[in-house]
Amino acid sequence: MLEYISPYLRNPDRITGIPTGRKAAECWDLKTYPHSIKLMATLTTNSRTDSKLSKIEGIKERSQFLREPVATELKQDTTHFSEDGVQILKFHGSYQQDNRDNRVKGQEKDYQMMLRTRNPGGFIPPQLYLTLDRLSSTYGNQTLRVTTRQGFQLHGILKRNLKAAIASIVRSMGSTLGACGDLNRNVMAPPAPFKNRPEYDFAWTYANNIADLLAPQSGAYYEIWLDGEKIISAEEAPEVKAAREHNGNGTIVHESPEPIYGDRYMPRKFKSCVTVPGDNSVDLYSQDLALVIITDESGELQGFNILAGGGLARTHNKEETFPRLADEIGYVAKADIYDAVKAIVATQRDYGDRVNRRHARLKYLLDDWGVEKFRSTVEGYFGKSFQPFRALPDFKYEDFLGWHEQGDGKLFLGISVRNGRVCDTEGWKLKTALREITEAFSLPMRLTPHQNILLYEIAPDDRVEIDRILRENGIKLLEEIDPLERLSMACPALPTCGLAITESERVIPDILVRIRKLLDRVGLPKEEFVVRMTGCPNGCARPYMAELGLVGRAPNVYQLWLGADSHQTRLAQLYLDRLNVDDLEAELEPLLVFFKKARHEDERFGDFCHRVGFEALRQFTETYDPASLKPKRKERHRIRIYDSVYERLKAESQRLGKPMLDLASEALEKYLNELSES
Ligand code: SRM
Ligand code: SF4
């Protein structure tokens, strides 16, 4: 019996390529539609009933393509949205949250909305930045936060101000559409604005185009937030429009307002990036879909290497959930890239688990099927075979902070933002500084995937004044920032994140200071490594790709993950399940002492842990004597003297300000010398 089939297969005439009006039975003609038959067979064996679909599938399906109940509830004079409203609101780029510091038993929660921007490649034009800065002051909690996927978040917006805030963002060439929800999220790309390296420009272009290709099409966004006024920040490329409409082999949902997604959108969030060979500023192995630009010797775009199936989130005590690195799928020529992307999206759309949301990400499809089956299923939708993956240089992580030439005579400046939080605090007024710089020089910015900001298109003559503004507002020069801080990331966690088990952003500054002191104590004062921290196992600050990852386990208790590399090409492993934050030094000290003793020249902490293995780390820790680090006390000799002599010695020591040890030694030496001379 056919128990569960994807919504697209239940109505086969909705699959493009099968002419409407034909009966389903005819449509399953093997010769004409072999791919559909293959899909049908696989899904039949999956045997899932509609009634088992996750609740959110129904909410999406009933939403009239992202309209309800948000449109109705927005007009109501309430402080918050219903449960269904909250789910659909996400697709519009907003999460309903409450300030968890203000929870009082028996009282209504302190509801507030978080807004997230969708800006491929982290691009923020100056007018949008100034709008976000203003909105965070008028409606938000006075801060802006650069996210780990190159977006900005505003926290603390009341429901009644949400419409005005979103409308302002859209009118300033920004968008929040699709920043959250079960669809393609903000597309990442390397933030470095190199003008003399064409591959970087291609990465930006294709990040934009993939974002446009996979953007929701229903029109609900403009109806709800702009009363139907359609403001388009930039015309989408004609080839993107054509590609969206192009039939493919089942990639399109026929006659749907959402030709790529259909009415249930994706089974889960879908994350993608476009990067250039060697540049891993985007953490490419952690993405559902990663495209790597391939150019020829003259810098002409030839095609793309494609990786798929990365993802990090886990759930504690559920071994079936795990972080996973993306696999190499193959290479496609540039003319085929949109069809290839659509084919991967369609595969996840139709085969992704819509019953168990914990198993719904693309990484589980790859893990369950293996690369071969995944590739051949995608090829069915693609209508072509992938070419072999092209050889690539090693991927490296670079943060691009500090001053650089951008390759056309102008400069760019990378500013380190502590946990991405743009705010004004005592002695550190980054929010003021960025506003002053943007107002004075109208500079575009690129947000980095590591919660930092690059300002670019800077005329060399403006450098002195920009430095002055930063200095005046207490922003440290790059060399003054501890590399531990520069490389670290923490997610927001408490008080805004509803899923946080424990603190992250608010405690990481102290944690880093403690690690630095420990490094000094064990004799590694110059050492640096990548520390990432999250308040729960969802992994928003990608702790499973860090040399030292701290993952919220219980209040004040973290898992310790070790062994990833500094370029984020290898996963960390769980070393310790419960580390009480008070025991941080006690747990890390033996590891760092072992590292100091047994490292290879220039070996990094992450590589060391990986090379020696956790068994060796544990063995060393078990036999480690913390006293070995304490300075050895000098040997002391004891002699007994008469009480009367002791009292005189003590009095003389005090009078002369000389230690008794010195005085007694000098006196005895003199006496003994006289004896030996006599
Ligand atoms: Fe995340 C949910 C913050 C990047 C995995 N994430 C959340 C929510 C919205 C909590 C919620 O659902 O109620 C957090 C809002 C906190 C707050 O107060 O603002 C939140 N995630 C963030 C950000 C802001 C962290 C940051 O420090 O910047 C990042 C926003 C990126 C963006 O602009 O889109 C952010 N989240 C990530 C990443 C990293 C990445 O994408 O590179 C991951 C791990 C990678 C991955 O997806 O596998 C991540 N966030 C999650 C998950 C687990 C997803 C899963 O597959 O199970 C959740 C929970 C969920 O979706 O159910 C989540
Ligand atoms: Fe919240 Fe967990 Fe993400 Fe941190 S990792 S922001 S605690 S969901």
Side-chain angles (χ1 to χ4, degrees), residues 124 141 178 181 216 242 355 376 387 442-443 505 616 661:
I124 303 283
N141 68 355
V355 174
S376 70
Q387 295 175 42
S442 202
L443 299 175
E505 180 185 338
L661 172 72

Side-chain angles (χ1 to χ4, degrees), residues 66-275:
L66 308 183
R67 290 178 175 81
E68 292 298 347
V70 172
T72 303
E73 290 180 10
L74 189 68
K75 293 186 187 127
Q76 293 164 353
D77 184 17
T78 52
T79 54
H80 58 283
F81 292 89
S82 67
E83 210 186 306
D84 287 13
V86 166
Q87 294 305 333
I88 298 304
L89 187 64
K90 291 181 189 177
F91 290 77
H92 296 259
S94 180
Y95 272 78
Q96 181 163 293
Q97 303 183 317
D98 72 286
N99 185 333
R100 293 174 62 180
D101 284 348
N102 296 346
R103 280 189 189 173
V104 180
K105 216 172 172 197
Q107 283 183 19
E108 188 184 271
K109 288 178 180 168
D110 181 6
Y111 286 111
Q112 42 186 256
M113 309 297 149
M114 174 268 274
L115 256 185
R116 188 184 285 168
T117 62
R118 188 197 70 135
N119 35 281
F123 173 60
I124 303 283
Q127 69 274 33
L128 175 59
Y129 182 73
L130 293 175
T131 298
L132 292 170
D133 172 86
R134 181 177 53 77
L135 291 174
S136 73
S137 303
T138 16
Y139 297 136
N141 68 355
Q142 316 297 316
T143 75
L144 280 170
R145 197 170 185 286
V146 185
T147 75
T148 53
R149 296 194 64 79
Q150 301 182 277
F152 261 128
Q153 276 190 185
L154 290 136
H155 288 100
I157 300 176
L158 297 180
K159 176 173 172 266
R160 63 168 182 271
N161 296 325
L162 197 57
K163 183 167 177 175
I166 293 182
S168 296
I169 290 173
V170 180
R171 294 206 166 93
S172 305
M173 317 281 276
S175 179
T176 63
L177 174 61
C180 324
D182 293 346
L183 35 60
N184 184 47
R185 299 293 189 88
N186 198 34
V187 183
M188 286 170 37
F194 292 128
K195 295 298 168 63
N196 52 351
R197 295 179 60 182
E199 65 274 25
Y200 276 84
D201 200 41
F202 290 131
W204 285 3
T205 303
Y206 278 84
N208 271 323
N209 289 355
I210 301 297
D212 285 346
L213 177 75
L214 301 177
Q217 298 294 305
S218 84
Y221 186 71
Y222 297 95
E223 282 167 33
I224 295 175
W225 308 105
L226 288 128
D227 300 318
E229 182 189 350
K230 182 143 192 199
I231 296 170
I232 299 173
S233 45
E235 269 310 324
E236 67 181 7
E239 80 257 27
V240 172
K241 194 167 185 297
R244 193 184 303 108
E245 286 158 8
H246 177 231
N247 284 346
N249 294 341
T251 56
I252 294 290
V253 183
H254 209 46
E255 289 169 9
S256 170
E258 292 290 4
I260 292 184
Y261 293 126
D263 56 4
R264 283 182 186 158
Y265 292 82
M266 295 297 269
R268 204 67 166 86
K269 54 180 73 166
F270 187 85
K271 297 183 171 178
S272 52
C273 72
V274 186
T275 192

Side-chain angles (χ1 to χ4, degrees), residues 432-443 455 466 469-470:
T432 302
L434 285 175
R435 185 172 53 247
E436 280 182 20
I437 292 171
T438 311
E439 278 168 350
F441 302 103
S442 202
L443 299 175
L455 297 171
I466 290 172
I469 296 174
L470 289 169

Side-chain angles (χ1 to χ4, degrees), residues 42 44 53 80 85 108 112 115 186 207 249 266 277 361 394 405 411 417 437 447 490 552 567 618 645 653 666 673:
T42 315
T44 306
L53 291 183
H80 58 283
E108 188 184 271
Q112 42 186 256
L115 256 185
N186 198 34
N249 294 341
M266 295 297 269
R361 293 289 296 273
D394 287 346
E405 298 217 342
L411 306 176
V417 185
I437 292 171
L447 310 181
H567 296 294
R618 290 200 172 102
V645 176
S653 147
E666 280 171 22
N673 286 345

